[in-house]
Amino acid sequence: MSERVVNNIKDLVRCSRCVMPETQEFIVFDAQGVCSTCRNIDIKHQMIDWSAKKKEFQDLLDRYRGKYEYDCIVPFSGGKDSTYQVYSLVRDYGVKPLVVSYDHHMFRPNTVRNREKTLKKLGVDFLSYRTDWRLVKKFMRIGLERKGNIYWYEETGIFAFPMHMAIKLNVPLVIWGEPSAEYTNYYSYDEPEEVDETRFNMFVNLGITAEDMIGFLRDDLGDMQTTMRDLKFHTYPSRERLKEIGCRSVCLGSYQPWDVKRHVDIIKRELGWQGDTVEGVAPGYDYEKIEDMLQGVQDYLKFIKRGYGRMSHLASIDIRNGR
């Protein structure tokens, strides 16, 4: 198998700039051989009026500030991006957030320490939820066998649970971190990117709905006990319920230029956030994907499927940002 994988890698078409291969999801190349993600970053650096975007974000916050129990909900894992987004919203914009976390059972000890430091130093209210571990193991097996991805449950939980809390607690503004346009081409930097049901079904849930998962559990594992009630927080809320509260779900990185390495410097200095060692990640990138204990496994599965690993992804980001 290893020899076959290597031979395929040799044959891959790659971006003439960042060398990302054609096997990345949704990637396309222009006449100069430059990939769509690099062109997205060109738009970010050359065509966006970030001063106007900041004003637009201030106006958005002002429409919600002080009108609800919390000004916004901020999804949070304790990794670099979510830590920076909580930091920026509290320190730079002065909002009162409810920090919400989908606890996927896989946090590394260092991430747990980072989370505690961040929450205490910023002085924010915090809400966390875990799915039944017995179900998680089944979800991981189905995801592995059906999609070569063990984290269906994690991705759906991360993106669905905060939206359910927005409805339940009547906090209609949800603010995420970086837009997907930073790393892929599902959206472009010059178009609005709402973190909504369309985005959820486009790539978050791997093309497997909660209803599909119920069917797979029955067909593959003979599980006749699990119902949709058990998968509530892995199912995106209805558009009607979100519309009732006037919900907006946006990325902070749509309103300020996202720069991971600059953000890491800030949270290390201001919050005492610490990096970690992750399988397959070079020492200079101690901030990358430090949350998950099985990240090395997930990255290896991606390498088998796509022909590139975590360091190719990180090197491409550095190239696009002139590093």
Side-chain angles (χ1 to χ4, degrees):
M1 176 179 288
S2 297
E3 182 177 350
R4 178 170 58 81
V5 170
V6 170
N7 286 338
N8 287 341
I9 291 172
K10 291 178 181 177
D11 297 334
L12 292 178
V13 175
R14 295 178 179 272
C15 174
S16 60
R17 183 185 297 176
C18 77
V19 302
M20 182 58 66
E22 62 185 320
T23 47
Q24 186 190 41
E25 301 92 327
F26 216 66
I27 196 170
V28 294
F29 302 96
D30 63 17
Q32 288 73 46
V34 178
C35 77
S36 43
T37 307
C38 281
R39 293 307 186 196
N40 250 343
I41 301 304
D42 287 345
I43 294 171
K44 169 187 169 182
H45 289 316
Q46 300 169 17
M47 298 177 61
I48 304 297
D49 183 344
W50 290 109
S51 295
K53 284 289 184 181
K54 183 176 182 179
K55 174 64 165 57
E56 184 182 338
F57 187 59
Q58 289 278 16
D59 292 343
L60 175 66
L61 291 177
D62 290 342
R63 291 201 294 272
Y64 293 89
R65 193 191 303 272
K67 296 181 174 66
Y68 306 89
E69 292 295 324
Y70 297 93
D71 297 333
C72 63
I73 283 176
V74 183
F76 175 73
S77 68
K80 63 186 188 306
D81 296 312
S82 64
T83 299
Y84 175 77
Q85 74 204 48
V86 178
Y87 169 84
S88 182
L89 287 166
V90 172
R91 294 283 178 86
D92 299 335
Y93 295 96
V95 304
K96 176 181 174 59
L98 174 63
V99 177
V100 171
S101 177
Y102 178 74
D103 184 339
H104 46 66
H105 297 268
M106 294 290 172
F107 288 130
R108 296 174 188 247
N110 185 58
T111 297
V112 175
R113 291 190 292 270
N114 280 336
R115 283 159 59 95
E116 287 299 309
K117 282 189 288 188
T118 297
L119 296 169
K120 290 177 179 177
K121 287 192 175 185
L122 292 178
V124 292
D125 291 352
F126 177 62
L127 177 65
S128 183
Y129 166 79
R130 283 183 179 177
T131 302
D132 179 350
W133 174 243
R134 296 168 299 176
L135 280 178
V136 165
K137 291 189 290 184
K138 294 177 182 180
F139 296 154
M140 291 177 76
R141 176 171 171 180
I142 295 294
L144 176 62
E145 293 178 348
R146 293 274 180 168
K147 292 289 185 175
N149 187 315
I150 58 178
Y151 279 152
W152 176 89
Y153 84 94
E154 183 177 321
E155 294 297 320
T156 53
I158 286 170
F159 285 95
F161 175 64
M163 306 309 296
H164 283 281
M165 292 304 98
I167 294 170
K168 187 175 183 64
L169 301 172
N170 191 32
V171 182
L173 179 61
V174 184
I175 302 177
W176 306 80
E178 77 282 11
S180 68
E182 184 72 10
Y183 304 130
T184 64
N185 193 46
Y186 292 105
Y187 292 87
S188 172
Y189 254 112
D190 59 354
E191 64 179 327
E193 183 176 344
E194 291 274 336
V195 187
D196 57 11
E197 184 180 24
T198 298
R199 189 180 187 268
F200 186 83
N201 291 326
M202 186 185 300
F203 60 88
V204 169
N205 69 3
L206 309 178
I208 299 176
T209 65
E211 292 85 354
D212 293 333
M213 183 57 73
I214 293 290
F216 295 152
L217 290 172
R218 291 175 179 172
D219 294 344
D220 297 2
L221 303 182
D223 177 359
M224 309 303 290
Q225 306 303 314
T226 304
T227 68
M228 286 298 295
R229 196 169 85 167
D230 300 305
L231 273 72
K232 177 179 178 64
F233 294 134
H234 299 275
T235 307
Y236 208 81
S238 70
R239 296 178 186 177
E240 291 75 18
R241 293 300 309 280
L242 292 168
K243 188 175 180 180
E244 284 174 9
I245 66 169
C247 187
R248 290 291 308 277
S249 179
V250 300
C251 297
L252 179 61
S254 294
Y255 300 96
Q256 62 173 258
W258 208 254
D259 186 338
V260 167
K261 291 197 171 183
R262 185 177 69 85
H263 296 168
V264 168
D265 288 342
I266 291 171
I267 61 177
K268 283 183 175 180
R269 181 179 66 250
E270 299 294 328
L271 301 176
W273 190 91
Q274 294 181 330
D276 208 346
T277 300
V278 177
E279 305 79 14
V281 177
Y285 299 86
D286 69 344
Y287 53 81
E288 179 71 10
K289 290 294 181 182
I290 70 167
E291 303 96 314
D292 294 308
M293 287 188 286
L294 293 182
Q295 188 62 49
V297 175
Q298 180 75 343
D299 285 345
Y300 179 62
L301 291 170
K302 183 174 183 177
F303 173 75
I304 292 174
K305 291 188 299 179
R306 302 289 181 181
Y308 68 96
R310 177 63 49 183
M311 284 311 304
S312 292
H313 167 77
L314 293 173
S316 294
I317 294 171
D318 278 348
I319 293 169
R320 294 178 196 129
N321 285 283
R323 295 186 171 113

